[in-house]
Amino acid sequence: MKQTTEPKVMRDPIHGYIHVDEQVIWDCINAKEMQRLRRIHQLGGDFQIYHTAEHSRFSHSLGVYEIVRRMVYEIYELREALSEEEKVTVMLAGLLHDIGHGPFSHAFEAISVYPHEEYTKKIILGNSEIHRILEDVDAHLPEAVAAVIGYCHPNDLLNQIVSGQLDADRMDYLLRDAYFTGTSYGNFDLERIIRTVRIVDQKLCVKESGIHSVEDYIMARYHMYWQVYLHPVARSYEGLLAMLFQRMKDLYQEDQSSLKEVEMFHPFLSQRGADEAALFALDEAAAFYGVSLLREHADGVLRDLARRVLDRDLFEYATVIDNFQVDKLRSRVQACGFHPHYYVFCDKASQTPYSPYQRDQSGHNIWILCEDGTVKELSEVSDIVHAVCHEKLKEDRKVYFPKEIIL
Ligand code: NI
């Protein structure tokens, strides 16, 4: 594998430094599809509630790469078990796993025909700079990298490193999102986890002596979900965007010419679905420009929703008690002159910190290598984890509506 002429290092607030030694990784970082991720927020709507959560998918992707790099070189058993090609393949998979994300993450996926995983595959296997860089190294490299991201590489260790239960993706985003939101819940001891990972029967395990750092990681996930990822204000912003996209889609289907000023959205509004080139063109800068043009649109609903998005005039929310309450809200919204289809939405959030079902797939469990040499699933060994994953599923149903109706 060709090395860079000199070791490349980039400063990073989570990992200290990101180290790059292979030319193919450096070239992928500099490819246009990767650079586009600088213009996509890592956390869809969370910068509306945590004002410093402005970090990008680019920095998260570098962070995942760095954790993978450390795992394959610093975990002795992994370093021995994997070939040079496998190491580079899994590091590339970490770097490229989010390459297919559109603007505003999940809000946008509500109107996109294809999910981001599908675009990731298309970019790695299709007509892209990334594909050409990988192919130049080895004709099979694009398929191998896509297989790891799709959790179907024949060497299951590689799949577990990028997207198991204790994987580089989750470990980076928890630490990074905690740092950039200014919350402390996402912290856990990454160093200790890396130091205690072992391999037994092609499964990544953590030594029993490292169990406290794994418990911390599970609790970090739990708190980050409720405090950050499912925060009702972030959901309100994302819901507003989804309503705006829905209105655009409905108008476009009636009359395409009614949206001629926002061509960047057209491929996503048609039933056919957009290709990789259209996704590449639509970063958040382009999307925000489109939304700012809609502020002057002839359609009153579009105009108002665009203004709300840009001025952060978010919807109010209430916890759902029953359907009767939601119906009453809908009538009230309509009586106040709003179209209930675009001005009321419900959202159900639920999250378990860790659920060890699907016991056949090693990637869905966290395995502990006990002192007596046996391997057990985490909740069998940890009382804390046992307690949280056998607790009733925590559910939160909210309804969102314009605050004008309660004045
Ligand atoms: Ni990710």
Side-chain angles (χ1 to χ4, degrees), residues 42 57 60 64 97-98 101 169 173:
Q42 166 67 10
R57 294 223 174 251
H60 162 64
V64 176
H97 77 285
D98 274 344
H101 267 282
D169 182 21
Y173 75 60

Side-chain angles (χ1 to χ4, degrees), residues 43-54:
L43 291 175
D46 272 283
F47 66 104
Q48 294 291 332
I49 176 71
Y50 298 102
H51 65 94
T52 53
E54 293 280 353

Side-chain angles (χ1 to χ4, degrees), residues 1-9 19-27 29-30 65:
M1 205 57 72
K2 193 172 162 225
Q3 302 286 297
T4 51
T5 44
E6 56 178 10
K8 305 284 187 189
V9 280
H19 302 79
V20 179
D21 298 309
E22 285 80 14
Q23 189 62 40
V24 61
I25 288 166
W26 189 245
D27 290 344
I29 291 172
N30 290 305
Y65 154 77

Side-chain angles (χ1 to χ4, degrees), residues 9-12 14-15 17-20 25-26 28-30 34-35 37-38 42 56-69 91 94-98 168 172 176:
V9 280
M10 286 165 279
R11 279 186 199 278
D12 183 84
I14 309 306
H15 305 299
Y17 286 98
I18 311 268
H19 302 79
V20 179
I25 288 166
W26 189 245
C28 281
I29 291 172
N30 290 305
M34 191 69 205
Q35 291 295 317
L37 296 185
R38 289 181 186 270
Q42 166 67 10
S56 68
R57 294 223 174 251
F58 180 77
S59 61
H60 162 64
S61 300
L62 288 182
V64 176
Y65 154 77
E66 178 62 15
I67 295 181
V68 174
R69 190 194 68 76
M91 288 192 287
L95 181 70
L96 301 172
H97 77 285
D98 274 344
D172 183 78
R176 192 169 298 276

Side-chain angles (χ1 to χ4, degrees), residues 116-367:
H116 69 88
E117 292 90 349
E118 191 65 34
Y119 281 115
T120 297
K121 217 162 117 185
K122 282 169 185 267
I123 293 166
I124 294 173
L125 300 177
N127 178 19
S128 69
E129 267 184 43
I130 294 280
H131 179 79
R132 284 188 290 280
I133 291 164
L134 299 178
E135 208 181 22
D136 273 354
V137 173
D138 181 327
H140 302 292
L141 190 53
E143 283 78 14
V145 172
V148 176
I149 296 173
Y151 208 90
C152 56
H153 193 281
N155 185 346
D156 194 48
L157 283 173
L158 307 189
N159 304 329
Q160 293 170 57
I161 293 170
V162 177
S163 42
Q165 274 289 343
L166 192 65
D167 59 30
D169 182 21
R170 280 199 182 98
M171 291 199 277
D172 183 78
Y173 75 60
L174 288 173
L175 294 171
R176 192 169 298 276
D177 297 343
Y179 177 87
F180 282 102
T181 51
T183 57
S184 57
Y185 317 105
N187 282 325
F188 58 90
D189 192 348
L190 172 66
E191 298 298 320
R192 179 91 187 132
I193 291 178
I194 288 180
R195 255 185 293 133
T196 50
V197 170
R198 298 291 180 272
I199 305 172
V200 181
D201 301 333
Q202 288 297 94
K203 282 198 290 258
L204 293 182
C205 310
V206 176
K207 270 173 70 183
E208 198 171 355
S209 61
I211 199 165
H212 301 108
S213 44
V214 179
E215 288 172 344
D216 237 18
Y217 159 84
I218 296 291
M219 293 317 289
R221 265 165 70 168
Y222 184 72
H223 291 304
M224 283 297 280
Y225 267 95
W226 288 109
Q227 289 293 320
V228 176
Y229 305 129
L230 304 176
H231 196 292
V233 172
R235 302 290 270 202
S236 178
Y237 180 77
E238 286 167 13
L240 198 53
L241 279 165
M243 295 291 106
L244 176 80
F245 291 137
Q246 192 54 54
R247 180 63 179 171
M248 267 199 268
K249 201 165 191 173
D250 294 346
L251 289 176
Y252 186 82
Q253 248 120 65
E254 271 169 38
D255 173 16
Q256 296 191 9
S257 67
S258 67
L259 286 165
K260 55 183 180 310
E261 62 273 69
V262 286
E263 272 193 341
M264 67 288 263
F265 294 122
H266 286 196
F268 297 91
L269 300 174
S270 80
Q271 307 283 26
R272 280 195 321 276
D275 62 9
E276 308 92 280
L279 182 84
F280 178 77
L282 193 69
D283 54 28
E284 282 176 11
F288 271 126
Y289 177 58
V291 176
S292 73
L293 292 173
L294 293 175
R295 217 177 167 128
E296 310 292 329
H297 198 271
D299 179 72
V301 173
L302 265 192
R303 212 165 52 228
D304 180 61
L305 293 174
R307 177 194 64 75
R308 286 174 189 270
V309 166
L310 293 171
D311 299 348
R312 196 184 179 276
D313 184 3
L314 303 181
F315 284 4
E316 196 50 69
Y317 53 86
T319 299
V320 172
I321 306 159
D322 53 24
N323 290 339
F324 179 65
Q325 169 209 16
V326 177
D327 290 344
K328 232 171 78 183
L329 257 168
R330 251 182 243 284
S331 315
R332 174 119 185 89
V333 162
Q334 192 154 22
C336 291
F338 295 105
H339 195 316
H341 189 58
Y342 306 106
Y343 283 84
V344 181
F345 59 89
C346 288
D347 182 31
K348 192 171 81 179
S350 61
Q351 170 65 21
T352 41
Y354 165 68
S355 32
Y357 44 89
Q358 290 174 295
R359 282 166 193 272
D360 50 332
Q361 258 203 47
S362 54
H364 288 90
N365 286 340
I366 295 179
W367 300 103

